Amino acid sequence: MADTATTAPVAAASAASASSDAPPFQLGKPRFQQTSFYGRFRHFLDIIDPRTLFVTERRLREAVQLLEDYKNGTLRPGVTNEQLWSAQKIKQAILHPDTNEKIFMPFRMSGYIPFGTPIVVGLLLPNQTLASTIFWQWLNQSHNACVNYANRNATKPSPASKFIQGYLGAVISAVSIAVGLNVLVQKANKFTPATRLLIQRFVPFPAVGRLSCRRAPGCSSPCKASCAWQPSAWPCRWPSASSRRCQRLKRPN
């Protein structure tokens, strides 16, 4: 009995200590302060956390229900801030905020690194042929387009032709830049073979970078530039989301 009486307060104190590390929960708000670089950095680490890819269907339902209970004021006693923040992180990582439908795993922001890394490796492969250059540039732009579409503003549907035009423009531009630079490098007689090979390794960067700058002000992801580079535009939960969606997420409840 003495051991039990001693263990209970210790366990309760440990739980309270663990909960005190988390800030007070605010529904729909970022967990970390967005007024500092470190806070924004931790916010983005939360968004791209690949561990949310392995959340089970049961855990997702529990997280959604927990947030509903909090919203309706029926939260059971003993739920900590840490549990609420974790539930919100899971829901935001998996479900589209407008449709409440599950986002296909490769197109979630938490899947951007594990599914995007192989594409980056393919873009940087040495001694690429014309066909492989076109393939990897096409695959990269297709993945970006799917991520943008999966996280689009679903409250105001846009015509499919708008997305198709943006997608085709991105693919054609990326392929043209990559192929054109490769041809120019190969025809440059002043470069040694080693220098030519080194320069060719960096050809994908201007092709991808140019398209990112071109797409940022466009319809597919107009808030990418403002949310990524302007602290006043934070918090933006989705770097590839539409500007209207960012504006909605910034509104106070």
Side-chain angles (χ1 to χ4, degrees):
M1 292 293 292
D3 291 341
T4 304
T6 304
T7 305
V10 171
S14 299
S17 176
S19 177
S20 64
D21 292 336
F25 179 73
Q26 291 181 290
L27 186 64
K29 300 292 184 179
R31 173 174 179 170
F32 305 103
Q33 289 293 330
Q34 302 298 285
T35 54
S36 67
F37 172 80
Y38 183 61
R40 296 193 294 269
F41 176 69
R42 296 185 69 185
H43 176 61
F44 263 89
L45 289 182
D46 244 8
I47 292 174
I48 64 174
D49 187 352
R51 291 177 297 179
T52 57
L53 297 173
F54 304 100
V55 172
T56 63
E57 189 69 28
R58 178 181 176 182
R59 180 71 183 93
L60 174 61
R61 289 197 300 267
E62 291 175 350
V64 172
Q65 186 59 51
L66 193 64
L67 294 175
E68 284 296 318
D69 292 344
Y70 176 87
K71 183 178 180 180
N72 298 327
T74 58
L75 197 64
R76 66 181 184 274
V79 176
T80 63
N81 289 315
E82 182 64 40
Q83 290 174 311
L84 290 169
W85 285 119
S86 177
Q88 179 166 273
K89 175 180 177 178
I90 290 173
K91 181 182 178 181
Q92 291 182 341
I94 299 175
L95 301 181
H96 192 287
D98 296 334
T99 64
N100 278 326
E101 295 178 355
K102 292 179 70 173
I103 300 173
F104 189 43
M105 192 177 292
F107 306 145
R108 300 174 192 170
M109 292 308 300
S110 56
Y112 202 82
I113 292 178
F115 291 99
T117 298
I119 298 176
V120 174
V121 173
L123 288 169
L124 299 177
L125 288 175
N127 302 321
Q128 293 203 41
T129 63
L130 177 63
S132 65
T133 300
I134 293 175
F135 170 76
W136 288 111
Q137 290 292 340
W138 164 79
L139 186 61
N140 179 58
Q141 294 303 325
S142 297
H143 181 244
N144 289 338
C146 289
V147 170
N148 286 333
Y149 182 80
N151 297 285
R152 71 195 182 281
N153 177 13
T155 60
K156 187 177 180 182
S158 299
S161 58
K162 201 170 188 178
F163 292 100
I164 294 174
Q165 290 174 3
Y167 167 68
L168 292 177
V171 172
I172 293 172
S173 299
V175 170
S176 300
I177 293 171
V179 172
L181 289 176
N182 270 321
V183 171
L184 289 175
V185 171
Q186 291 173 0
K187 290 185 176 181
N189 298 325
K190 295 182 180 180
F191 296 147
T192 64
T195 303
R196 186 179 293 109
L197 179 61
L198 180 63
I199 294 176
Q200 284 178 325
R201 292 287 185 91
F202 290 93
V203 164
F205 290 99
V208 174
R210 176 66 182 91
L211 266 293
S212 296
C213 294
R214 179 180 180 272
R215 187 170 56 244
C219 182
S220 61
S221 56
C223 81
K224 183 179 290 183
S226 62
C227 287
W229 303 111
Q230 296 180 21
S232 60
W234 289 69
C236 174
R237 202 186 64 153
W238 300 99
S240 60
S242 68
S243 59
R244 183 163 181 241
R245 183 170 172 184
C246 285
Q247 294 291 336
R248 184 169 66 257
L249 289 170
K250 287 189 292 182
R251 292 177 189 168
N253 290 337

